[in-house]
Amino acid sequence: KLNDLLTTNPHDMTARLDVGRLLVESGRWAEAREQLEPVISRRNSSAEGWYFWGRSLLGLGQLVEGEEAIRKALELRRDLLVGEPWYALAQHHYARGERALALPFFEELVMANSSHSEGYYKLGACLLEANRAEEAKQAWREAIEAHKAAPRYKRRVNRPWKWRAQLALARA
């Protein structure tokens, strides 16, 4: 429906942003970038536009530009999408093995979204690597608590991170 809407009205930036978001979420980075380029050029103050633009650039391997775009989105709105931009930046560095760079982003993520079990677990892993074992244990305890406090539908998503946190605590 959104593509039909864009065919009839190619200047509808809200529809274009929605299409770009859906393309980013499905991993179609180049198409997403194409849809989001007019959004950020015409709506330079669109935090969501900058965030999804940055995610598409990260997906295309343009790491510096993607991170800059996500940082711009966070400058415009720090509470954007309940911490999702913080997660994207943290995950970007975490997946590349850059735990020290991921650490501040995970800290921001759990401040923005206290029910993010995965964020707490990975924060603990980053803290452990930074030789901060007691803080890592506390982060893993928080991952378990976040799972317990989550609504039933969210527990299924959090469960693997709760298990990993329990295992990490047992090993520590």
Side-chain angles (χ1 to χ4, degrees), residues 117 142-151 155 158 162 166:
S117 290
E142 292 290 335
I144 295 166
E145 289 304 314
H147 171 75
K148 289 179 184 175
R155 287 184 190 165
N158 286 347
K162 177 193 87 162
Q166 288 172 330

Side-chain angles (χ1 to χ4, degrees), residues 5-59:
L5 182 62
L6 284 175
T7 302
T8 59
N9 185 5
H11 303 290
D12 185 347
M13 292 300 118
T14 303
R16 194 169 292 281
L17 177 62
D18 288 340
V19 169
R21 175 185 55 82
L22 292 170
L23 290 168
V24 163
E25 290 172 356
S26 65
R28 294 163 57 188
W29 313 116
E31 295 172 61
R33 187 182 72 185
E34 186 179 303
Q35 289 296 328
L36 293 165
E37 194 166 12
V39 173
I40 64 165
S41 66
R42 291 191 186 141
R43 282 188 179 171
N44 198 21
S45 62
S46 170
E48 285 186 6
W50 280 104
Y51 167 63
F52 290 116
W53 168 258
R55 287 268 316 269
S56 69
L57 293 174
L58 286 178

Side-chain angles (χ1 to χ4, degrees):
K1 285 183 176 182
L2 289 170
N3 282 329
D4 292 343
L5 182 62
L6 284 175
T7 302
T8 59
N9 185 5
H11 303 290
D12 185 347
M13 292 300 118
T14 303
R16 194 169 292 281
L17 177 62
D18 288 340
V19 169
R21 175 185 55 82
L22 292 170
L23 290 168
V24 163
E25 290 172 356
S26 65
R28 294 163 57 188
W29 313 116
E31 295 172 61
R33 187 182 72 185
E34 186 179 303
Q35 289 296 328
L36 293 165
E37 194 166 12
V39 173
I40 64 165
S41 66
R42 291 191 186 141
R43 282 188 179 171
N44 198 21
S45 62
S46 170
E48 285 186 6
W50 280 104
Y51 167 63
F52 290 116
W53 168 258
R55 287 268 316 269
S56 69
L57 293 174
L58 286 178
L60 290 169
Q62 298 173 347
L63 308 178
V64 174
E65 297 88 351
E67 189 169 333
E68 286 174 3
I70 294 174
R71 285 179 188 270
K72 168 98 173 157
L74 288 166
E75 285 174 19
L76 293 169
R77 222 172 92 201
R78 286 194 69 78
D79 65 340
L80 179 66
L81 301 172
V82 196
E84 192 176 318
W86 295 115
Y87 176 74
L89 289 171
Q91 187 60 25
H92 163 68
H93 289 295
Y94 189 87
R96 297 178 60 182
E98 301 168 340
R99 304 292 197 262
L101 294 174
L103 180 61
F105 297 125
F106 279 122
E107 288 172 337
E108 290 286 343
L109 168 64
V110 298
M111 283 194 299
N113 184 351
S114 62
S115 65
H116 205 287
S117 290
E118 179 183 0
Y120 278 115
Y121 171 77
K122 290 182 177 179
L123 172 62
C126 292
L127 288 167
L128 186 65
E129 195 166 301
N131 294 322
R132 295 162 57 185
E134 286 307 312
E135 293 175 69
K137 289 178 187 177
Q138 182 57 36
W140 292 326
R141 286 186 205 101
E142 292 290 335
I144 295 166
E145 289 304 314
H147 171 75
K148 289 179 184 175
R152 186 176 298 273
Y153 73 91
K154 183 77 170 152
R155 287 184 190 165
R156 179 175 295 174
V157 174
N158 286 347
R159 192 174 300 128
W161 301 108
K162 177 193 87 162
W163 290 337
R164 289 177 183 166
Q166 288 172 330
L167 185 60
L169 277 171
R171 289 181 179 169

